[in-house]
Amino acid sequence: MEGLAVPFPHLLPLPPFPKLATVTAVAAISTSTSTSTGGGGGGFISLKQQQLQLRPRRGSPPYCTASSSSSSHSQSEEEERVSGDSIRERFLNFYASRGHKVLPSASLVPDDPTVLLTIAGMLQFKPIFLGNVPRQVPRATTSQRCIRTNDVNNVGNTSRHHTFFEMLGNFSFGDYFKKQAIQWAWDLSTVEFGLPPQRLWISVYQDDDESFQLWSQQVGVPVERIKRLGEDDNFWTSGVTGPCGPCSEIYYDFHPERGYIDADLGDDTRFIEFYNLVFMQYNKKDDGSLEPLKQMNIDTGLGLERLARILQKVPNNYETDLILPIIEKASQLANVSYGISDDQTKRYLKIVGDHMRAIVFLISDGVVPSNVGRGYVVRRLIRRVVRTGRLLGIKGDGRGDLEGAFLPTIAEKVVELSTHIDADVKNRAPRILEELKREEFRFVQTLERGEKLLDEKLADAISSAERNGSVPCLAGEDVFILYDTYGFPMEITKEVAEERGVCIDMNGFDIEMEKQRRQSQAAHNTVKLAIGSGTNIADNVPDTEFIGHESLYCKAIVASLVVNGDPAVQVSEGSNVEVLLNKTPFYAESGGQIGDHGFLYISEGENQPKAVVEIIDVQKSFGNIFVHKGRVQKGVVEVGKQVEATVDVKLRQRAKVHHTATHLLQAALKKVIGQETSQAGSLVAFDRLRFDFNFHRPLLDSELAEIEVLINGWIENAILLQTKVMPLADAKRAGAIAMFGEKYGEEVRVVEVPGVSMELCGGTHVSNTSEIRGFKVISEQGIASGVRRIEAVAGEAFIEYVNARDSYLKQLCSTLKVKPEEVTARIENLLEELRVARNENSAVRAKAAVYKASVIANRAFLVGNSKQYRILVECLDDVDAESLKSAAEYLMETLADPAAIVLGSCPGEGKVSLVAAFTPGVVDQGIQAGKFIGQIAKLCGGGGGGRPNFAQAGGRKPDNLADALEKAKSELIAHLGENGN
């Protein structure tokens, strides 16, 4: 189906743009039209006029034929101006007057877990269409903000591809159906917006005779302009089974003079689809048969940018008043004129204009730039705009700061245009602009070096290809270095390479990404399966059959043994060994969950094990081979022998508890801090769980408390978990959350806590949430830009944590001799007493230091001839740094100007304190205390600095203090003695 009202977004996390008929170039308005922007008959009007296009009267064509163009121009004074905002308003008013409830646009961050971003107008109504929730109104109309990025490389190359767009829609929930939907769509197009009926073509599903008759007989469209299309184009389904039905689309014809014969609605140069009507009338059963739905629904979508293009008479969506002002702002910063620019420059400006809309609205809706999930989508767009801006020659913020960020300047124009799209954007503008400034500076720091390296690698690839007579290709390792070290999204590298005619080795890039993932694990997790000669053991070992979801015990055959990387036929007591079995109940580390522990037994007789291997880790390698790492505690283990594999039940239960608790934690985070947060990593261990997630700030104590209340409530509710294995597409349709960037097979395992969470997961889980017993957050902290980490305990680890804290509290109460509820007040009192005591002690030490200073003041000596300078360089033994400072200040007040004072002390083991105090008369001689004492401190293995007249320093070599002070004295004598004239 080609249409704007797309199927339920179950196919991909980021579904592609709708397959609408495109118009890549509009060379003429009619057979006599010219592309000139000057005077003459029927040419395109200027860009400024395009932006302020006059609204056609109802019933008059927005594009005129040669025969009618003169009359159209003579009527222009009577026409009203049409704008993107007015089109939106008129659409909503049209349907509001027909009983539709005008509802606000949903956020770009959807409640639907099957998609990252809102991709269609119907997405917020999906639960109603599926019958999961009752309707609140019988019919509705919306203008929905949407994001689609799968075809991001087409932005700027075609006339209608966008990452951000608005979908106007009218919806019926079991109320009206085809007859009204078709008639109203026609009335909206031809009466409300004045599109000439003779320029409108219709597509219907090949077997939908009812729609064909309604269009031809009720509306009166000539049958020559109604096309029957097949299932791929005009039949919508929500999945393998479920609601489905035919759809019908309205196309605008830019060249009716070409006639009806052999007309192809897929001809981009002639047609553009702008309105799609979906008729949900069937339920598709398991056997593929169709049965009528009890409640038939209507879902439509009209592209605002496309209709604006038609009504404003511009050659592409970018030159409508919805986007052109943003392009003009970018043109101003780049010091170019869009109207007279070459195609490449126009393409760059279109990319900036389009992407900036997407970026601003995404950040406004709470998406924070990061390297995962939605954050990666917005970061990728930001970095693409930054690079494109550099290609345009943009330097600085346009306000005189050549080092300033230009994204906030362009974003201000997007904010200005946002009033009728989302009024909240203006309120969020300060946060949006600050985030853009931060992201731009972060990328620019490495962009130049990365661009230089990329240019060198591309040149090498081209040169090598010319020598070998092959196709130039950029190595996957180089693409990874640019991504990992210089922050270049792989997509940008690919785009730049393609501009130079170079392909990239995606397989090599994926391999490097996998290497990085594995290397990030602890060293003990590394599995070596190659023998000394380089032979790969995995070549002769089949995949391991895992039965650990059903049982914690099984009999298995030893398929192979590995000791220190080499194969072995048998391994004796006391040796470390890696055991490969034909099947196993042991869970191998994956999905964040660590491997099981347990034992392998080789029986000699009843209850008499001949050999025992303790398993302390299990890793998965070479696809699906489980490597059991352990130590032979007793006897001899041999290849080919049968073993009894037994998992440690208690440790497995701990892992199950923490894994399910991790799912509950993600669900709670989405409820408390917003659906935009997404998983960025996890660890499921026996003693704790760790969950990394996308978020831009530390969580408040109240938020952490709310998360704990939610999770412990779900635990108390004793919810039975449901686990199913199903096709990946079915799992996503069902609402299962998939890790962004994770690769899945055709069959996946879905773990659901009904009413709470549903995730794709191969890990082990409890059967009932009550098994978790309790949940407690231990810590929350930032681990990277835009990434936070929560550590928590559950189950037995939760009990141990609570008991340990209770024990600590009892000891504290005993020591302080107070009740538990009095501990806080008692500690606060003790801290206050300690602060007062420390202040008193510090004051005493300072007085003692000043007294010592008064004793040594008479040791100052004079240097110089006509002008005498007092010099005092002394060691005050173990005086601390603060007291040494007080002593120096006292001496500065005591000794007459000019005077130079240098004091040193050893306040503790391995510590040196130094201070230099120079009066104005000494500073005037060109000696600065900060520089002077810094050089002296180096002799004591330290450093320091400060103001010209007063500075402190420290060191780590007390034995060198005497020599350092002597050096200070000699340098002061040399300098002041020579200048003291």
Side-chain angles (χ1 to χ4, degrees), residues 258-487:
R258 297 182 184 177
Y260 300 152
I261 300 175
D262 297 327
D264 179 8
L265 294 180
D267 182 356
D268 292 348
T269 66
R270 179 173 179 180
F271 297 103
I272 184 171
E273 178 200 344
F274 67 92
Y275 204 175
N276 183 23
L277 317 176
V278 176
F279 310 123
M280 297 185 200
Q281 63 186 95
Y282 300 115
N283 177 53
K284 192 172 185 179
K285 301 168 69 175
D286 291 334
D287 60 4
S289 62
L290 302 178
E291 63 179 5
L293 285 173
K294 294 180 179 179
Q295 174 179 300
M296 297 185 183
N297 304 310
I298 291 292
D299 159 29
T300 78
L302 183 150
L304 175 60
E305 290 80 5
R306 300 180 186 209
L307 185 56
R309 171 197 171 182
I310 295 170
L311 294 176
Q312 294 179 12
K313 305 178 186 177
V314 292
N316 55 68
N317 296 1
Y318 299 96
E319 294 177 23
T320 66
D321 67 342
L322 297 166
I323 305 175
L324 186 60
I326 307 169
I327 290 176
E328 290 179 334
K329 173 56 72 172
S331 301
Q332 178 185 342
L333 292 176
N335 197 27
V336 298
S337 173
Y338 174 81
I340 60 175
S341 293
D342 57 34
D343 289 343
Q344 185 69 292
T345 300
K346 283 185 176 180
R347 173 176 169 267
Y348 290 153
L349 289 168
K350 289 173 183 176
I351 289 172
V352 174
D354 170 86
H355 287 11
M356 286 305 300
R357 293 211 304 168
I359 291 164
V360 167
F361 284 98
L362 280 168
I363 296 177
S364 175
D365 278 353
V367 181
V368 180
S370 70
N371 288 330
V372 293
R374 302 180 184 98
Y376 179 72
V377 173
V378 71
R379 174 165 285 173
R380 173 188 172 191
L381 293 176
I382 288 172
R383 294 190 169 185
R384 196 164 190 249
V385 173
V386 172
R387 176 181 174 269
T388 303
R390 289 170 66 89
L391 294 174
L392 284 167
I394 296 178
K395 294 181 179 179
D397 60 5
R399 299 185 176 94
D401 184 0
L402 295 179
E403 301 299 324
F406 73 89
L407 294 186
T409 302
I410 301 177
E412 288 174 354
K413 177 59 68 174
V414 181
V415 172
E416 180 184 324
L417 297 171
S418 70
T419 303
H420 299 291
I421 305 173
D422 180 6
D424 290 331
V425 173
K426 283 192 175 181
N427 299 329
R428 300 164 183 160
R431 175 174 61 84
I432 296 169
L433 301 182
E434 185 60 34
E435 190 68 53
L436 286 174
K437 180 179 178 181
R438 183 166 50 248
E439 273 294 303
E440 181 175 344
F441 284 152
R442 180 182 289 126
F443 185 42
V444 167
Q445 288 174 359
T446 57
L447 182 59
E448 291 183 2
R449 286 182 294 157
E451 285 179 328
K452 183 179 179 181
L453 176 62
L454 176 56
D455 190 62
E456 292 173 357
K457 295 297 182 182
L458 290 174
D460 290 345
I462 293 171
S463 176
S464 176
E466 289 175 348
R467 290 194 304 270
N468 302 327
S470 58
V471 176
C473 187
L474 190 62
E477 183 179 0
D478 294 332
V479 179
F480 175 76
I481 290 172
L482 285 161
Y483 167 82
D484 189 52
T485 305
Y486 298 97

Side-chain angles (χ1 to χ4, degrees), residues 574-577 612-616 629-634:
S575 300
N576 293 325
V577 64
V612 178
V613 182
E614 182 182 10
I615 302 301
I616 59 172
K629 303 179 68 173
R631 185 176 181 85
V632 182
Q633 291 189 340
K634 176 183 178 182

Side-chain angles (χ1 to χ4, degrees), residues 777-804:
V777 173
I778 297 175
S779 66
E780 190 275 336
Q781 61 183 331
I783 59 170
S785 176
V787 180
R788 309 293 302 176
R789 169 174 290 173
I790 284 179
E791 290 201 3
V793 288
E796 193 66 28
F798 165 78
I799 302 299
E800 292 169 354
Y801 178 85
V802 172
N803 286 340

